Structure formats: C-alpha cells, structure tokens
Amino acid sequence: MKENVQQILAHFHIKQFQHDLIHWFQTEQRDLPWRKDKDPYKIWVSEVMLQQTRVDTVIPYFYHFIEKFPTLDSLAEAEEEEVLKAWEGLGYYSRIRHLHEAVKEVKEKYGGCVPASKEQFSSLKGVGPYTTGAVLSIAYGIPEPAVDGNVMRVLSRIFYITDDIAKGSTRKKFENIVSKIISHDNPSDFNQALMELGALVCTPKNPSCFLCPVQRHCRAFAEGVETELPVKTKGKAPKRISFRAIVLMNKKGNILIQKRPPRGLLANLWQFPNDEHAPTRNDEAFVKEISERYHVVIRSMERIGSFEHVFSHVVWHIEAYKGNALELQMGDETNKWVTIDELKQYAFPVIYQKIWQAYE
DNA sequence: TAAGCGTGGGC
DNA sequence: TGCCCAAGCTT
C-alpha cells in the first residue's frame, strides 16, 4: 500500500525543514568552481558534466572547458572535434554532442541567452527534467524540482519511501514531493542543499545521521531503517566482447587512426584499426580483415598486451598489437594517417589511450 | 519501460 | 577483487 503525496507530507514541518536545510547549506557547502557566479551557461555546463559523474572528476574538466569556451557563443562557434577533445575521458560522450547542438540553438533562436522558460529550455538537446530544474532554479531562482539520485536517496529516507528508484516513473513521485516542499524564497539553495546533503551526509553507505541538519525530520532515522533505503533493483550483468586492435605505422612514421560512427558506443571518437565489428579467430584472419578493411599491407606485427575495459553495459577484452604497414589508399574523413604529434588533437576513448601508452 | 551510454573511485 | 556507484538523457 503506497501513500499518496498528501499523506506523505502530513505532519511534515515544511518551513522548519526548509530553514534547517538551507541554513546548513549556507554554512557547510563546498567551495566549487561553478558556484562562483550564477552565469546560466556555466551552471548548465557544470550540470551536464555532473550527470553520472563525481564532483572530483568534473572539477579539472570544468576549469579547462570554461577556459577554452568561456561563453555560450564561444562554444556554439567551436568545431565539433575541438569540443569533443575537451570532453575526452569524461565519458557519456553524447552529453557533449547534445550540449554543443543545444548551445548552437540557443545562439540562433535566443541570441545566446539561455532561456528561463521551462518549456523552451527543456526542449533543448540533452536537457531532461533534472537539468531543467537545476539550471532554472540555480541560475534563475525559479522554483522547479531538480531530482537526481541524491535527492531521491535523501527524500526516500526523510519520508520512508520504498519505491524502486531504478524505475523511471519513481522520479516523478519525488518531483511531485519537491514541488510541494521547495522554498520559494530560495529555490536555488534548497535544490543544491538536498544534493549537497546527499553527497556529504546522507550518503549511500554509512550515512552520517549524527551530524545531519534535518535528522529531526527524518522518518527513516526515527525508525532506524536509513541503511535500507533507498530501494534500488540491480541491472543485468554486462556482456563480454573480445576482439583485437593494432597500432600501425607507415614508412613516414605516421599512425593510422579511424573515426568511430556517429551513433552508439563512443560515437565520433577516434580509435586504432580493430576487428570489433567482426572478431577474428587467429592472426592470419586478423591480418586479412585489417588489410582489406583499412587498405593496408601489414609487413610485421607484434603483440603488445591484453586489455580489459568495463563500460556500463559491456566489457571489452582487447588483444593489442603493433605493426608496420604500407598504405594502399590515401586517407579520408574517417581514416587518417597522422603524425604522432597530430594524434594529440583527436579525442580517444580511455581504452585506446591505454593501448597507445603500451605502444609507446 | 528498459536498454544503451563511460569512467574512475571506494570499500 | 568485484561490485556499487555519481548532480541523467535518449530511444
């Protein structure tokens, strides 16, 4: 039997909760680079970077990205290749492709000013319900819910909610609750405080309830069940895929690289020749496959290592080689022979960076 | 609705 | 070590 929102909020001291939470945030919040001003563009960039990504990982990327693209217009005018390079290593690369497309639209349609309209902003590429609420509340002070994993964890404990947070439909229930309890005087600090509390105090494991500013409002703490919340079902085990890759050098000392397709895993990033699409069973078949697909003659080949890389939904096992080759065709848009120096301009996924390190 | 989509850190 | 995770969105 699930309670409705009205029942959940019965006897809940909203004003007191808002004050306890916001006061704590204003005292204890971390000094983070995207909190230095309320520039909607910078807030937006930070929110996209922070999707499924830790604060400590994001900080150096944020500094570098904002230095390189200090304004929305500068990002809108940048080349895709350069933008992707600034995202190299952050993961979930569709985020930056969508952000790039979105800022171009903002430049064209809204003169480079991030729209404060929920309808307009949320229609942009890569902007979902969370990002909409986060940017509108933090940058513009608009009282919209910004429900992420932190908020669902915190509120599942505060209100003893046992819905499975792995289900998409559960987020709406929390948005409904937040829209009832959000501070209209300070929606920015309220939303950020819920997330900050989840990151610093109301953590997934071993929550620090003894120093929680809203302990007196928490049903889970009162019942002693905080470590059993939130309820979250597990995903299925990732598939394993094995294939080979090879770093090829021609007589001029150039390296062959290939741009990945514009959709799917690691879209638009660069890689070394491989047989991912049709894994071969032995060296002979591998040489034949690479020769035909990449229009090269492989003159020598040597194994340089074995690599495993775990993605969210798949595990790659790569046998890596290096070799010398003759090129039979000039390069094109997706297959290029580049100098070792030029390699640095192209964005590679981490697994191929590791293979390059083994080659060097 | 659920799968696809990265990476690095913590325990 | 092998899991779980971290400020989600798209299809």
Side-chain angles (χ1 to χ4, degrees), chain A residues 51 118 121-124 126-137 144-148 168 171-172 175 191:
Chain A
Q51 287 168 15
K118 179 181 180 181
F121 185 64
S122 65
S123 73
L124 296 166
V127 178
Y130 165 75
T131 306
T132 300
V135 172
L136 292 192
S137 65
E144 285 291 331
V147 174
D148 70 339
R171 196 202 65 250
K172 292 180 181 173
E175 284 176 347
N191 278 342

Side-chain angles (χ1 to χ4, degrees), chain A residues 39 44 66 246 307 316:
Chain A
D39 178 351
W44 185 6
I66 292 300
I246 183 165
F307 299 83
W316 276 2

Side-chain angles (χ1 to χ4, degrees), chain A residues 31-34 36 49 58-69:
Chain A
D31 187 14
L32 299 173
W34 45 89
K36 290 176 182 169
M49 284 188 172
V58 167
I59 289 172
Y61 279 92
F62 180 80
Y63 277 122
H64 176 250
F65 194 92
I66 292 300
E67 188 175 357
K68 199 156 176 48
F69 311 110

Side-chain angles (χ1 to χ4, degrees), chain A residues 24-31 35 189 192 196 200:
Chain A
W24 171 82
F25 178 70
Q26 292 176 342
T27 309
E28 303 294 333
Q29 67 174 286
R30 291 168 290 181
D31 187 14
R35 288 180 176 163
D189 282 0
Q192 290 185 81
E196 194 81 342
L200 299 182

Side-chain angles (χ1 to χ4, degrees), chain A residues 9-72:
Chain A
L9 292 175
H11 310 298
F12 187 71
H13 297 97
I14 293 178
K15 287 292 179 188
Q16 215 168 66
F17 177 78
Q18 291 171 349
H19 177 268
D20 292 346
L21 182 68
I22 290 173
H23 180 261
W24 171 82
F25 178 70
Q26 292 176 342
T27 309
E28 303 294 333
Q29 67 174 286
R30 291 168 290 181
D31 187 14
L32 299 173
W34 45 89
R35 288 180 176 163
K36 290 176 182 169
D37 60 57
K38 297 281 189 184
D39 178 351
Y41 163 69
K42 285 189 252 178
I43 301 293
W44 185 6
V45 169
S46 75
E47 290 303 340
V48 174
M49 284 188 172
L50 285 161
Q51 287 168 15
Q52 302 290 284
T53 310
R54 292 184 142 76
V55 166
D56 288 345
T57 302
V58 167
I59 289 172
Y61 279 92
F62 180 80
Y63 277 122
H64 176 250
F65 194 92
I66 292 300
E67 188 175 357
K68 199 156 176 48
F69 311 110
T71 64
L72 187 145

